[in-house]
Amino acid sequence: MIRIAVLLLFSFAFSVHAQSNDVTVPAVRVVRLQVEYRNASISDLQKIHKWNAIMRNSVLASLKFINKHWLICGGSPSDTPSFSNADCGKAQVTGEIVGGNHYRINVTLIAERDPVKNAKVEATSTVYAVAHIGLKGGIFQYTNALKVLGKPEPKLSFDEAFFCYRGATLVDTDKCRKDRRLRDSPLLDSVETPIPLDNLLAL
Ligand SMILES: *[C@@H]1O[C@H](CO)[C@@H](O)[C@H](O)[C@H]1NC(C)=O
Ligand SMILES: *[C@@H]1O[C@H](CO)[C@@H](O)[C@H](O)[C@H]1NC(C)=O
Protein backbone atom coordinates (compact mmCIF):
# COMPACT_ATOMS: atom_id res chain seq x y z
CA MET A 1 0.00 0.00 0.00
CA ILE A 2 2.71 2.44 1.00
CA ARG A 3 4.72 1.44 -2.02
CA ILE A 4 1.84 2.25 -4.33
CA ALA A 5 1.39 5.61 -2.68
CA VAL A 6 5.05 6.38 -3.11
CA LEU A 7 4.92 5.32 -6.73
CA LEU A 8 1.92 7.53 -7.32
CA LEU A 9 3.65 10.42 -5.63
CA PHE A 10 6.68 9.96 -7.81
CA SER A 11 4.79 9.81 -11.04
CA PHE A 12 2.74 12.81 -10.01
CA ALA A 13 5.86 14.79 -9.14
CA PHE A 14 7.42 13.74 -12.40
CA SER A 15 4.50 14.87 -14.52
CA VAL A 16 4.30 18.23 -12.72
CA HIS A 17 7.98 18.71 -13.30
CA ALA A 18 7.76 17.71 -16.95
CA GLN A 19 4.90 20.13 -17.59
CA SER A 20 6.66 23.06 -16.06
CA ASN A 21 9.13 24.76 -18.34
CA ASP A 22 9.46 27.58 -15.85
CA VAL A 23 11.94 26.15 -13.41
CA THR A 24 13.08 28.82 -11.01
CA VAL A 25 16.07 28.92 -8.71
CA PRO A 26 16.89 31.50 -6.03
CA ALA A 27 18.58 34.58 -7.46
CA VAL A 28 22.05 35.64 -6.36
CA ARG A 29 21.85 38.10 -3.50
CA VAL A 30 24.36 40.91 -3.74
CA VAL A 31 24.64 43.25 -0.78
CA ARG A 32 26.44 46.54 -0.49
CA LEU A 33 27.79 47.82 2.79
CA GLN A 34 29.09 51.36 3.17
CA VAL A 35 31.24 52.44 6.05
CA GLU A 36 31.72 56.18 6.52
CA TYR A 37 34.68 57.72 8.32
CA ARG A 38 34.11 61.41 8.91
CA ASN A 39 37.27 62.10 10.88
CA ALA A 40 39.90 60.37 8.79
CA SER A 41 43.49 61.63 8.65
CA ILE A 42 43.51 61.87 4.88
CA SER A 43 47.06 63.25 4.70
CA ASP A 44 48.41 60.32 6.74
CA LEU A 45 46.41 57.90 4.67
CA GLN A 46 47.97 59.24 1.48
CA LYS A 47 51.44 58.52 2.87
CA ILE A 48 50.70 54.84 3.43
CA HIS A 49 52.35 52.73 0.77
CA LYS A 50 49.84 50.47 -1.02
CA TRP A 51 46.96 51.90 1.00
CA ASN A 52 44.29 50.48 -1.29
CA ALA A 53 45.61 46.93 -1.02
CA ILE A 54 45.97 47.19 2.76
CA MET A 55 42.48 48.63 3.14
CA ARG A 56 40.94 45.95 0.88
CA ASN A 57 42.70 43.10 2.66
CA SER A 58 41.66 44.48 6.00
CA VAL A 59 38.00 44.66 5.01
CA LEU A 60 38.16 41.19 3.49
CA ALA A 61 39.72 39.85 6.69
CA SER A 62 36.89 41.47 8.63
CA LEU A 63 34.27 39.81 6.45
CA LYS A 64 35.96 36.45 6.84
CA PHE A 65 36.09 36.97 10.57
CA ILE A 66 32.35 37.59 10.62
CA ASN A 67 31.87 34.54 8.39
CA LYS A 68 33.63 32.34 10.95
CA HIS A 69 30.74 33.02 13.30
CA TRP A 70 27.87 33.83 10.95
CA LEU A 71 27.68 32.32 7.50
CA ILE A 72 27.27 35.44 5.41
CA CYS A 73 29.56 34.83 2.42
CA GLY A 74 27.64 33.36 -0.49
CA GLY A 75 28.29 32.60 -4.09
CA SER A 76 29.34 28.97 -4.20
CA PRO A 77 27.81 27.31 -7.29
CA SER A 78 26.02 24.69 -5.21
CA ASP A 79 24.65 27.51 -3.04
CA THR A 80 25.70 25.85 0.17
CA PRO A 81 27.08 28.09 2.89
CA SER A 82 30.81 27.74 2.96
CA PHE A 83 33.12 27.90 5.95
CA SER A 84 36.27 28.31 3.93
CA ASN A 85 35.13 30.79 1.34
CA ALA A 86 38.42 32.12 0.01
CA ASP A 87 37.13 35.53 -0.96
CA CYS A 88 33.79 35.96 0.84
CA GLY A 89 31.32 36.11 -2.01
CA LYS A 90 33.73 37.67 -4.53
CA ALA A 91 33.83 40.78 -2.35
CA GLN A 92 34.69 44.03 -4.12
CA VAL A 93 36.09 46.72 -1.86
CA THR A 94 36.57 50.32 -2.91
CA GLY A 95 37.57 53.32 -0.89
CA GLU A 96 37.25 56.99 -1.75
CA ILE A 97 38.09 60.34 -0.29
CA VAL A 98 34.72 62.06 -0.23
CA GLY A 99 36.20 65.41 0.79
CA GLY A 100 37.67 67.08 3.84
CA ASN A 101 38.22 64.36 6.41
CA HIS A 102 35.51 62.16 5.02
CA TYR A 103 36.51 58.72 3.70
CA ARG A 104 34.07 56.05 2.54
CA ILE A 105 34.49 52.34 2.00
CA ASN A 106 32.03 50.51 -0.24
CA VAL A 107 31.87 46.74 -0.10
CA THR A 108 29.78 44.57 -2.40
CA LEU A 109 29.60 40.84 -2.00
CA ILE A 110 27.45 37.88 -2.82
CA ALA A 111 25.73 37.09 0.46
CA GLU A 112 23.63 34.28 1.83
CA ARG A 113 19.92 34.90 2.21
CA ASP A 114 18.53 36.06 5.52
CA PRO A 115 18.19 34.52 7.98
CA VAL A 116 21.89 33.66 7.99
CA LYS A 117 23.01 30.83 10.22
CA ASN A 118 25.45 30.78 13.07
CA ALA A 119 28.44 28.55 12.34
CA LYS A 120 28.44 26.89 15.76
CA VAL A 121 25.16 27.18 17.53
CA GLU A 122 21.53 27.00 16.53
CA ALA A 123 20.84 30.67 15.88
CA THR A 124 20.00 32.96 13.02
CA SER A 125 20.47 36.61 12.21
CA THR A 126 20.68 38.90 9.19
CA VAL A 127 23.66 40.01 7.12
CA TYR A 128 22.95 43.62 8.10
CA ALA A 129 22.79 42.85 11.82
CA VAL A 130 26.01 40.87 11.97
CA ALA A 131 27.91 43.35 9.77
CA HIS A 132 26.65 46.13 12.02
CA ILE A 133 27.83 44.29 15.14
CA GLY A 134 31.18 43.83 13.39
CA LEU A 135 31.35 47.54 12.69
CA LYS A 136 30.55 48.43 16.29
CA GLY A 137 33.05 45.87 17.52
CA GLY A 138 35.76 47.59 15.52
CA ILE A 139 36.58 44.65 13.33
CA PHE A 140 36.49 46.77 10.19
CA GLN A 141 39.72 48.27 11.54
CA TYR A 142 41.39 44.93 11.51
CA THR A 143 44.89 46.25 10.81
CA ASN A 144 46.84 49.06 12.45
CA ALA A 145 47.06 50.96 9.18
CA LEU A 146 43.31 51.48 9.23
CA LYS A 147 43.56 53.49 12.44
CA VAL A 148 44.20 56.59 10.29
CA LEU A 149 40.52 56.37 9.38
CA GLY A 150 39.47 57.19 12.93
CA LYS A 151 36.13 56.05 14.24
CA PRO A 152 33.55 54.90 11.71
CA GLU A 153 30.06 56.34 11.75
CA PRO A 154 28.02 54.09 14.02
CA LYS A 155 25.47 53.41 11.30
CA LEU A 156 26.27 51.15 8.38
CA SER A 157 24.58 51.80 5.04
CA PHE A 158 23.17 48.69 3.52
CA ASP A 159 21.37 47.74 0.32
CA GLU A 160 20.77 44.57 -1.57
CA ALA A 161 19.81 43.49 -5.06
CA PHE A 162 19.17 40.22 -6.82
CA PHE A 163 20.84 38.97 -9.98
CA CYS A 164 20.61 36.00 -12.26
CA TYR A 165 23.44 34.38 -14.11
CA ARG A 166 23.50 34.44 -17.87
CA GLY A 167 20.76 32.39 -19.46
CA ALA A 168 18.19 33.23 -16.80
CA THR A 169 15.79 36.10 -16.15
CA LEU A 170 14.88 37.64 -12.80
CA VAL A 171 11.27 36.98 -11.79
CA ASP A 172 9.28 37.67 -8.60
CA THR A 173 11.99 40.00 -7.27
CA ASP A 174 14.42 37.32 -6.18
CA LYS A 175 14.09 34.25 -8.38
CA CYS A 176 15.69 33.30 -11.67
CA ARG A 177 13.87 31.55 -14.44
CA LYS A 178 15.92 29.77 -17.00
CA ASP A 179 15.49 31.27 -20.44
CA ARG A 180 13.52 28.95 -22.66
CA ARG A 181 15.99 28.66 -25.45
CA LEU A 182 18.55 27.34 -22.98
CA ARG A 183 16.31 24.87 -21.26
CA ASP A 184 18.15 21.86 -22.63
CA SER A 185 21.47 22.90 -21.17
CA PRO A 186 22.11 21.89 -17.58
CA LEU A 187 21.32 24.66 -15.13
CA LEU A 188 24.71 24.43 -13.50
CA ASP A 189 26.44 25.52 -16.70
CA SER A 190 24.85 28.93 -16.51
CA VAL A 191 25.24 29.14 -12.75
CA GLU A 192 29.00 28.94 -13.08
CA THR A 193 29.20 31.88 -15.47
CA PRO A 194 30.38 34.76 -13.32
CA ILE A 195 28.33 37.92 -13.03
CA PRO A 196 30.04 40.74 -14.91
CA LEU A 197 31.89 42.87 -12.41
CA ASP A 198 30.18 46.00 -13.73
CA ASN A 199 26.84 44.64 -12.59
CA LEU A 200 28.13 44.15 -9.08
CA LEU A 201 29.67 47.58 -8.87
CA ALA A 202 26.76 49.33 -10.52
CA LEU A 203 24.50 48.62 -7.56
C1 LIG B 1 39.36 63.28 15.08
O1 LIG B 1 40.70 62.78 14.91
C2 LIG B 1 41.68 63.39 15.71
C3 LIG B 1 43.02 62.76 15.39
O2 LIG B 1 43.18 62.56 14.04
C4 LIG B 1 41.35 63.24 17.17
O3 LIG B 1 42.30 63.94 17.98
C5 LIG B 1 39.96 63.75 17.46
O4 LIG B 1 39.60 63.46 18.79
C6 LIG B 1 38.94 63.10 16.52
N1 LIG B 1 37.63 63.69 16.72
C7 LIG B 1 36.51 62.96 16.83
C8 LIG B 1 35.25 63.74 17.01
O5 LIG B 1 36.51 61.75 16.81
C1 LIG C 1 30.22 54.07 -3.23
O1 LIG C 1 28.81 54.15 -3.15
C2 LIG C 1 28.29 55.44 -3.39
C3 LIG C 1 26.81 55.44 -3.10
O2 LIG C 1 26.11 54.56 -3.91
C4 LIG C 1 28.62 55.88 -4.81
O3 LIG C 1 28.10 57.16 -5.05
C5 LIG C 1 30.12 55.86 -4.96
O4 LIG C 1 30.46 56.18 -6.31
C6 LIG C 1 30.71 54.51 -4.58
N1 LIG C 1 32.14 54.65 -4.58
C7 LIG C 1 32.97 53.82 -5.18
C8 LIG C 1 34.41 54.13 -5.08
O5 LIG C 1 32.59 52.84 -5.78
Side-chain angles (χ1 to χ4, degrees):
M1 192 62 191
I2 288 174
R3 185 180 287 183
I4 289 169
V6 169
L7 267 175
L8 276 175
L9 200 66
F10 261 102
S11 47
F12 177 70
F14 185 78
S15 63
V16 166
H17 184 76
Q19 274 168 16
S20 157
N21 289 325
D22 295 341
V23 180
T24 60
V25 294
V28 177
R29 182 192 191 197
V30 176
V31 303
R32 184 180 63 195
L33 312 172
Q34 277 178 289
V35 189
E36 310 277 355
Y37 298 89
R38 294 193 187 270
N39 190 30
S41 306
I42 301 293
S43 55
D44 291 338
L45 178 161
Q46 284 165 331
K47 285 180 217 142
I48 297 174
H49 186 56
K50 295 192 174 155
W51 163 258
N52 278 321
I54 292 168
M55 185 273 297
R56 282 199 184 101
N57 287 337
S58 179
V59 172
L60 194 57
S62 307
L63 293 171
K64 287 189 197 167
F65 180 83
I66 295 174
N67 196 55
K68 273 194 187 154
H69 301 271
W70 294 96
L71 304 176
I72 59 166
C73 307
S76 55
S78 59
D79 227 2
T80 49
S82 151
F83 288 85
S84 60
N85 208 314
D87 61 356
C88 190
K90 307 186 199 305
Q92 302 289 321
V93 182
T94 52
E96 61 190 322
I97 298 165
V98 181
N101 293 325
H102 186 182
Y103 191 84
R104 176 193 293 143
I105 294 176
N106 289 356
V107 188
T108 55
L109 66 134
I110 298 172
E112 290 297 332
R113 299 289 183 111
D114 294 333
V116 292
K117 294 193 181 86
N118 189 283
K120 283 155 200 141
V121 299
E122 193 93 1
T124 58
S125 188
T126 63
V127 172
Y128 173 75
V130 298
H132 200 243
I133 291 167
L135 178 75
K136 295 220 164 183
I139 69 152
F140 283 96
Q141 274 116 316
Y142 215 73
T143 51
N144 277 336
L146 263 72
K147 295 212 165 86
V148 298
L149 292 177
K151 268 194 166 176
E153 286 289 290
K155 184 129 170 49
L156 189 70
S157 309
F158 177 89
D159 347 53
E160 64 180 352
F162 293 93
F163 291 95
C164 298
Y165 289 100
R166 266 190 213 100
T169 306
L170 192 67
V171 292
D172 302 337
T173 313
D174 65 351
K175 296 182 195 68
C176 298
R177 186 172 57 214
K178 236 190 338 165
D179 293 341
R180 267 152 207 272
R181 66 197 155 75
L182 291 176
R183 76 173 166 235
D184 292 332
S185 63
L187 202 56
L188 273 180
D189 277 4
S190 47
V191 164
E192 274 159 15
T193 312
I195 304 182
L197 200 59
D198 289 352
N199 287 5
L200 288 180
L201 295 177
L203 270 180

